Amino acid sequence: MSLATAAPSRAPSAQARRPRIRAGWLLLLAPTAVFDAVLFLTPLGRLIASSMHSQAYQRVLKDPLVIKSLENTLEISALSTLATIVLGYLLAIVIWRRGPLVRVVLFALVLLPFWTGVLVKNFAWAVLLQDNGLVNGALQALGLADHPLALLHNRFAVVVGMVHYLLPYAVFPIFAALTAIDNRLELAARSLGASESSIFRRVILPLTVPGVSAAGLLVFIISTGFFITPVVLGGPGDMMIANEIDFYARQLTDFAGASALALLLTAMVSVLVAVYQRILRAGGAHDVD
């Protein structure tokens, strides 16, 4: 009798607590919502309003330099993302296979680019890649080149500078995916006679696809907004969309055009991210089937 009367009394109290829990979550989310509204949504709204003036979209899309900058942005970002993912995967594998002490040293080397500004790193690469720089000197000393190679003020130099900056953003997601792999899977594969290449191809690589995908998406998004690196290391034909936005805003004082370019870049990256995620979901569903 007492149990029958106690059960109904607890049910209303639990239901009464739900609005309080919901209100508590809303209260915790309020600072983040205010932060986003003030520092993201408000500037975005002003950009949208500014881009609606003076037929800004039609004007910038008729500019051949803008089209070239958009093409450069996609090409350079894709090349930098591919190179960063390959190097980041190799480095993450090396760190994963080493002991704790060596891991600390390697992680310090990975984080080393964060200890200096991007401008300092770019000028350092300019010194290394110039005609009488260390790289050309080493190539000629080893007999790999008879004369200084054109390594600076071209797309190669831009990609090198961007990969140097972006590498840590690829290493850590891939390393996290590697550390999540159960060691018993490798032991089971070896006990069944699998070679090291087969273990990597059939066990390790498929299980690290989520980390590689996250790293690739993050690196590509960051690479589309590079500004200093194309200026210092690139040539006139390697300018990216961020450089074009700066040209419209500071040289032409066309803030409507600069706003339109910024929104076009945002829309372009958003569409690519949506397509990328859809492809990943379709691949995951196919694997499950």
Side-chain angles (χ1 to χ4, degrees):
M1 189 73 180
S2 60
L3 293 175
T5 57
S9 64
R10 285 198 298 268
S13 62
Q15 294 178 356
R17 284 198 300 269
R18 289 175 184 172
R20 299 182 199 170
I21 295 174
R22 190 177 297 111
W25 280 111
L26 292 176
L27 186 62
L28 290 174
L29 292 174
T32 303
V34 172
F35 182 86
D36 288 340
V38 173
L39 298 181
F40 178 72
L41 295 179
T42 301
L44 182 62
R46 297 190 64 177
L47 275 179
I48 294 173
S50 176
S51 66
M52 297 299 178
H53 297 153
S54 306
Q55 296 182 334
Y57 289 99
Q58 295 88 334
R59 190 171 65 256
V60 298
L61 289 176
K62 291 180 180 178
D63 188 346
L65 293 178
V66 170
I67 303 302
K68 180 63 176 175
S69 299
L70 286 171
E71 294 175 356
N72 289 343
T73 301
L74 289 176
E75 293 174 5
I76 294 174
S77 298
L79 287 173
S80 301
T81 300
L82 180 60
T84 304
I85 293 302
V86 172
L87 293 176
Y89 200 103
L90 295 174
L91 187 54
I93 285 283
V94 171
I95 297 173
W96 179 49
R97 293 297 193 187
R98 294 298 178 267
L101 181 59
V102 179
R103 280 187 182 182
V104 172
V105 175
L106 292 176
F107 272 130
L109 295 176
V110 171
L111 292 172
L112 190 61
F114 287 148
W115 298 353
T116 55
V118 61
L119 187 61
V120 175
K121 289 193 287 284
N122 287 330
F123 277 112
W125 276 113
V127 172
L128 292 174
L129 297 176
Q130 63 185 343
D131 290 347
N132 58 347
L134 182 62
V135 176
N136 267 311
L139 291 175
Q140 294 179 71
L142 294 173
L144 300 176
D146 298 330
H147 57 277
L149 302 179
L151 302 178
L152 188 60
H153 301 310
N154 51 34
R155 186 155 300 186
F156 169 78
V158 176
V159 172
V160 168
M162 290 175 63
V163 169
H164 182 211
Y165 179 86
L166 294 168
L167 193 59
Y169 295 100
V171 171
F172 288 107
I174 297 173
F175 178 78
L178 288 169
T179 55
I181 298 175
D182 192 341
N183 293 332
R184 292 174 295 181
L185 295 175
E186 290 188 68
L187 296 176
R190 288 193 182 93
S191 67
L192 294 173
S195 61
E196 292 299 326
S197 60
S198 297
I199 293 173
F200 174 77
R201 188 175 65 256
R202 296 174 178 269
V203 178
I204 297 176
L205 187 58
L207 292 176
T208 54
V209 167
V212 173
S213 303
L217 188 60
L218 178 61
V219 168
F220 183 83
I221 291 174
I222 296 174
S223 63
T224 56
F226 267 74
F227 170 74
I228 295 296
T229 304
V231 173
V232 177
L233 300 178
D238 300 310
M239 295 298 103
M240 299 175 67
I241 194 63
N243 306 111
E244 201 68 26
I245 293 172
D246 176 73
F247 177 75
Y248 267 79
R250 294 203 303 166
Q251 303 297 326
L252 301 181
T253 61
D254 183 359
F255 297 107
S259 301
L261 286 175
L263 290 173
L264 284 173
L265 177 61
T266 303
M268 179 181 69
V269 173
S270 300
V271 169
L272 290 174
V273 169
V275 171
Y276 186 72
Q277 291 180 334
R278 186 176 182 85
I279 292 173
L280 289 179
R281 283 198 297 269
H286 179 73
D287 291 340
V288 172
D289 294 338

